[in-house]
Amino acid sequence: AVCAVPQPAQAQAYPSDELLQQLRQRLTEAPKCAPACASVAQAQVTASGDSIGVALDAQAGARIALPLPAGDAATVVKSVKVDGVAADDIARNADGTLWLALGRGVHRIEIDYAATADKAALSFALRPERVLFQGNGWDASGLGDDRLLTETLSLARTHASAPGQPASGVQQFPPYVRVDRSLALGLDWSVLTDVQRLSPQQGGFAVSVPILQGEHVSTPGLKVVDGKLTAAIGDGEDATNWTSILDKADTLMLTAPALTDRTEVWHVLVGPTWHVDFSGVPGVGLADGDNPSAHRNFEFHPLPGETLTLKITRPAPLQGAMRAIDAVSFSNEAGQHASTRKLDFTLRASQGGEQSITLPTDAEVLGVARDGQNLNLRPQAGKLSLPIVPGTQHFEIRFRDPAEMRWLVRTPTVALGLPAANISLAMQLPRDRWLLAAFGPQVGPAVLYWGELIVMVLIAYALARTRRTRLKFRDWLLLGLGFSTFSWGALLAVVAWLFAFDWRGRSPQSNNESMFNLSQIGLALLTLIALICLVSAIPQGLLGEPDMHVTGNGSSAQSLQWFADRSADALPAAIAISLPLWVYKVLMLAWALWLANALIGWLRDGFAAWTQGGYWRQSPKPVVAPAVAAPVATEEPGTGTS
């Protein structure tokens, strides 16, 4: 009864995702021999009639799929045998490659192809270590020392006719290539040989190319036999190349082959170390890159049988400097009790060593840097030794000397020990100095004030000679001196004002009231402008800075810049003459007092001239004539007339 009672159904348990993933990894796990689980020790290729046979000695470290040699459109696979038994486990990919399933061990695979054309090509995806060919009426290309040079073995029928038989109608031509030889003559000589396919357009083949005398092939895997190298171009490839080392010699000779063998093009790249004379074949000189002077590139297209002779010489080196200074920048910042100097220069050296520069004996070196890295160096007896390395380097030297600020400031004497080029000198003056003059290299600042001052003195003398105003030469001179460091335009406005009122006092009065009133208004406006210029000049002189009209090479009154193209050893000197600014302000104060006193007299004379003959005229009113009474008409009695 208990057994008859039905038991409740239980839900079926499915594997978890983690377990499924582990099982999947086990199934797809690569064998331990991967990725070298298969190899082909030897391939025996036989060709006879319309049949091509391939026997492979294959080794498998695990159960694998082995790619079989793929034939081109002119071949058809007839049968595949593994260890003498017809193979069934063969799969074909979308690209037509046949894959054979093999178990672990050593197997012999025999493949029989049917040839339907005079040319056939077998592509080995897995290249055999050794390939043996035996053909009856067939030739093979792409082999060298029983090794497959490329992935493709090309087969072609031979059409030699038997005695008494007509020749075949199909003619076979050997491969034809173009060989480009590029010779680079630099510190080391090298050759790059590039073999390009010309014919046939498809299929793989191998050609024998002779190497140059003294050429040593450096590309691995290539072998030279009897001065020739077998170059293989695989199916689908357009070219192959190799590099070589060339022995240095005084003479090189290149000979073009016969037209039936191949065509050659020669490139010769000559470095600046060598001088080459070419003879035999005309060439074309080509610019090399952005610097045509660095190398000279020549190209030659010889005719069959022509010979190019290269006579190579190395010019003797000339004695010259091993170091050169390309640019120097020397800045000076003058202070009241000490001056700070900064020396920057760029040096090129072909050999390392030390370069000694001379600094002032009382100079205190603050820091030395080479290419941004600080160097712990100190001068000895005014000599500072700098470590030099081959190549280009930039030095920065900062030092200070206890030079008191004087009326004459001079850059210190610094000797670099080498000729220098592109020298820039800079001098910074304090804000409380009044620059008077500057001297140094020709390209530098110019203080134009003194030339303008001479012109102003001559004009002041000429104005005094006119005797049109009450101002004498001394007055004109003092007036010009006060405005010379402020504005020549303001001085011109004041001079125009003085001459305008002199004209007003001397000219006859105009009878035209409108013109008279307009001239009075103009004189009043001119007086206002002149007073503004005079009043502005006083605070500018007492509170501002004098304008000495400094120009040239980007200079100003406090920043002076010089430039020199070359120096033999010591840097050129620069000089600045200056006075304390308070001297200028004291002079301007004296000038302001004189101007205030003189201005009172000028205004009094001007007002007298302005009011001479009245300061304003009214237009006269029109006069009205008295009215005259008209006569009254009377009629005479009895006549009817009046």
Side-chain angles (χ1 to χ4, degrees), residues 152-289:
T152 303
L153 177 64
S154 299
L155 305 176
R157 295 180 189 267
T158 58
H159 296 278
S161 302
Q165 298 293 331
S168 174
V170 180
Q171 184 179 5
Q172 298 294 328
F173 296 96
Y176 198 75
V177 296
R178 165 178 164 169
V179 179
D180 285 5
R181 303 182 190 268
S182 299
L183 284 69
L185 308 182
L187 296 179
D188 296 322
W189 292 10
S190 62
V191 181
L192 173 63
T193 306
D194 188 35
V195 181
Q196 301 179 13
R197 174 200 298 265
L198 294 181
S199 175
Q201 294 294 329
Q202 297 178 352
F205 60 86
V207 293
S208 182
V209 178
I211 63 175
L212 302 178
Q213 184 178 2
E215 180 181 355
H216 306 280
V217 178
S218 58
T219 300
L222 299 180
K223 185 177 180 180
V224 179
V225 179
D226 296 333
K228 294 183 178 181
L229 186 146
T230 301
I233 299 178
D235 188 16
E237 297 179 355
D238 294 330
T240 185
N241 59 72
W242 65 86
T243 57
S244 308
I245 299 174
L246 187 62
D247 293 338
K248 297 179 181 179
D250 296 335
T251 303
L252 291 178
M253 298 183 66
L254 303 176
T255 302
L259 185 61
T260 57
D261 295 340
R262 63 189 177 276
T263 179
E264 290 197 7
V265 177
W266 302 325
H267 304 271
V268 181
L269 184 64
V270 183
T273 309
W274 306 97
H275 174 74
V276 181
D277 292 325
F278 301 95
S279 62
V281 179
V284 179
L286 305 176
D288 182 66

